[in-house]
Amino acid sequence: MFAGSILIGLTLLGFAVWLHLNERRGWGNESFDDEEDRQYLSQRKRARAWVNSIFAVCGIAVLVAAVVGPGPVWIGVWMSVAVGLMTIVILAGLDAIRTLRHQSKHRH
């Protein structure tokens, strides 16, 4: 369990860093020309920063669980990680809705 927790923790941390760097550099084929685009981009960056932070916190929590080992703290940490990852799924869905609304406004 120790090695698996370390692997998952480092993967979550790596994924958080990768997402953060891509969000700062911008994703391919994106162009934000007018004020509405810049406002959308600002909201998106803020929301995705929360997601990236939750990923990082989950990664750190998993590493803590690895060090602590099986027991009540381990169970509590893993339950917190599960809640954090479910929160990320909800926030990703909200981000998708925001993106679809923005794109539909642009097409008309």
Side-chain angles (χ1 to χ4, degrees):
M1 281 196 290
F2 177 78
S5 292
I6 295 293
L7 181 63
I8 291 171
L10 292 177
T11 300
L12 287 171
L13 282 173
F15 193 60
V17 169
W18 178 76
L19 285 173
H20 177 73
L21 292 175
N22 279 325
E23 190 61 35
R24 288 184 60 104
R25 280 189 302 231
W27 297 86
N29 302 326
E30 282 186 326
S31 62
F32 297 99
D33 302 327
D34 60 12
E35 183 59 34
E36 187 177 319
D37 286 337
R38 285 187 282 280
Q39 182 181 6
Y40 161 74
L41 182 62
S42 173
Q43 290 174 348
R44 185 183 81 179
K45 281 187 177 184
R46 220 174 316 120
R48 290 186 180 178
W50 276 103
V51 169
N52 299 344
S53 298
I54 295 171
F55 265 122
V57 168
C58 287
I60 292 168
V62 170
L63 293 174
V64 167
V67 171
V68 171
V73 174
W74 186 86
I75 292 170
V77 169
W78 273 103
M79 289 176 69
S80 299
V81 168
V83 170
L85 294 177
M86 284 187 273
T87 303
I88 289 172
V89 170
I90 292 167
L91 291 174
L94 294 173
D95 183 49
I97 291 169
R98 179 179 36 250
T99 300
L100 288 173
R101 285 183 177 170
H102 175 72
Q103 289 176 347
S104 68
K105 284 181 187 177
H106 257 261
R107 290 183 187 152
H108 299 284

